[in-house]
Amino acid sequence: MSDQAPTRKPRIALMGEFSAGKSTLSNLLMGVRPLPEKVTATRLSPVWITFGTDAPYRVDVDGWQEPISIERLEDVPVSETRFIHLSIEADILEVCDLIDFPGISDPNMSSDVWERMLTEVDAVIWCTHATQAWRQSEAAVWDTMPNTVRENSILLITRYDKLTTERDRSRVIMRVARETKGQFGATFPISLLQAIKAGEDYALWEASGAGPFTEHLIERIEKLAALTARTETPLYNLTTESDIPAAVVTSVMPRRVQRTKDGTEGATRPAARPVRPT
Ligand SMILES: Nc1nc2c(ncn2[C@@H]2O[C@H](COP(=O)(O)OP(=O)(O)OP(=O)(O)O)[C@@H](O)[C@H]2O)c(=O)[nH]1
Ligand SMILES: [Mg+2]
C-alpha cells in the first residue's frame, strides 16, 4: 500500500418520483445546466456527474465504456446502460459526485435501471413534490435503504411555491415530518425554481428555502468526506458507519467551499446562478 490512502469523494444521489425536481436540483447545485433542454424530457439512465473535463461516456451493464454524444443522449439504450458519465467543472463537484437518478415509479422504465446503481451511493437527496408529498411508492423505496444511507440523507419538499396558503404549507410539513420521523438526517421545503431565479439576490435565495438546505448540505458533505476518505466501499454496502476503519482525518474540504465563521457569507453557497439556456 502506498503512503497516501486512496480517497474518493462522497457520492450523493438525487432521487424521487418522476418530475419531482431532481435534475433542476442538480442544475441549481452546479450553477449550470449540463444537458440540453430537450433531453431532460427524455428518460435517461442514471447520470453520474464528476468534476473535470472528460468527454461523456456510458458504462454498460457489463462494465464496458463507450463514448457518447451529449446531443444524442436519447440514443443511449436505457436498459443496457448502467450509467452515463459526465464531467463538469462546477465548484460543488470538487467536494462530491452527484448521481441524477431517473424517477422511481415510471411505468415505462424497469426499476432495475436505477436499483442497480444504488450500490454506488453514499447518501441521497430525496425530492418529494410538495403537492403530493411522500407517497406510498416513495416510502416503500425508502424502507429498503440501509440506515447508513438514510441517516446521511436529506428530504427536500420541492415545488413548495405550489402551496399557496400558510395552512397548506404547515399541514404538509407536519404530515411529512410525522411520516418520515427518524428516516432522514434533515428535511427542508424549497422552491427550486425560485432558488435558481434568485441568482445573487440573498433575500430571494433565503425566501426560496435554499439557504438552510445548502448550509446543511455543506456540513453533511464535510462529514461524509471524512468517512469516504477512509473507505472505497459506498455507504449503501455498509451495515454501520463503525465498519469503516478509524483514522485521523484533517479537513478535506477545499477552502473556498468551507463555511465562514459567521456562516452568512457566499462561501456557504454552492454555485447558484441562474441557469444559462443552452
Ligand atoms: N414551480 C416549480 N416547478 C419546479 C420546481 N422544481 C422543478 N420544477 C419544474 O418541474 C419540472 C420537472 O423538473 P425536473 O427537474 O426535470 O424533474 P426530475 O425529477 O428530474 O424529473 P425526471 O427526471 O423526469 O423524473 C420542470 O419543468 C421544472 O422546471 C419548483 O420548486 N417549483
Ligand atoms: Mg431528471
Side-chain angles (χ1 to χ4, degrees):
M1 214 172 96
S2 72
D3 293 349
Q4 195 86 49
T7 63
R8 65 176 183 87
K9 291 172 188 168
R11 297 164 187 172
I12 300 186
L14 312 178
M15 295 186 71
E17 291 282 10
F18 175 73
S19 224
K22 305 175 289 293
S23 301
T24 309
L25 173 63
S26 78
N27 296 341
L28 174 73
L29 294 175
M30 293 188 295
V32 290
R33 164 174 268 159
L35 301 177
E37 178 101 54
K38 68 175 166 108
V39 305
T40 57
T42 320
R43 287 183 182 82
L44 292 182
S45 304
V47 183
W48 190 331
I49 316 170
T50 65
F51 187 87
T53 54
D54 295 346
Y57 59 86
R58 68 181 268 264
V59 173
D60 76 10
V61 288
D62 298 318
W64 295 101
Q65 257 187 37
E66 180 189 45
I68 53 170
S69 151
I70 282 279
E71 296 305 321
R72 305 199 53 115
L73 281 184
E74 64 271 31
D75 295 349
V76 172
V78 173
S79 59
E80 293 114 62
T81 301
R82 190 143 188 267
F83 63 91
I84 290 168
H85 181 267
L86 296 184
S87 47
I88 297 169
E89 290 180 292
D91 288 354
I92 182 98
L93 301 175
E94 292 196 48
V95 292
C96 67
D97 293 356
L98 296 175
I99 309 180
D100 185 357
F101 271 59
I104 53 158
S105 37
D106 187 333
N108 298 309
M109 185 190 263
S110 157
S111 57
D112 279 358
V113 168
W114 53 268
E115 279 171 354
R116 62 189 175 215
M117 275 302 282
L118 288 176
T119 52
E120 304 293 345
V121 161
D122 294 307
V124 176
I125 305 176
W126 189 282
C127 298
T128 190
H129 275 238
T131 51
Q132 40 184 298
W134 206 244
R135 291 153 57 119
Q136 223 190 325
S137 47
E138 297 174 86
V141 170
W142 201 243
D143 267 351
T144 68
M145 290 284 178
N147 277 335
T148 42
V149 172
R150 300 210 302 188
E151 63 207 20
N152 286 297
S153 294
I154 298 173
L155 177 60
L156 267 194
I157 304 177
T158 58
R159 296 166 171 253
Y160 204 51
D161 52 297
K162 294 282 183 190
L163 300 178
T164 47
T165 68
E166 212 30 70
R167 187 159 169 267
D168 283 352
R169 289 176 167 219
S170 59
R171 266 196 354 213
V172 168
I173 297 277
M174 305 256 285
R175 180 176 62 77
V176 171
R178 191 172 64 240
E179 291 175 9
T180 62
K181 194 160 186 281
Q183 300 185 45
F184 284 89
T187 301
F188 300 95
I190 190 169
S191 168
L192 293 169
L193 286 194
Q194 286 176 2
I196 283 176
K197 281 197 201 117
E200 299 302 317
D201 187 322
Y202 187 76
L204 285 180
W205 173 258
E206 287 294 308
S208 73
F213 158 60
T214 50
E215 276 170 37
H216 176 88
L217 177 62
I218 298 284
E219 276 174 23
R220 180 58 57 182
I221 294 171
E222 276 182 338
K223 189 198 154 216
L224 282 166
L227 297 175
T228 60
R230 284 149 43 200
T231 178
E232 285 295 310
T233 311
L235 296 191
Y236 185 88
N237 308 302
L238 295 175
T239 316
T240 81
E241 282 177 17
S242 50
D243 290 349
I244 302 173
V248 180
V249 176
T250 49
S251 176
V252 292
M253 299 291 280
R255 245 196 72 71
R256 66 194 163 115
V257 290
Q258 278 178 2
R259 286 161 58 78
T260 51
K261 259 224 169 77
D262 65 6
T264 56
E265 287 303 313
T268 59
R269 292 177 45 173
R273 292 187 294 273
V275 173
R276 279 189 295 275
T278 43

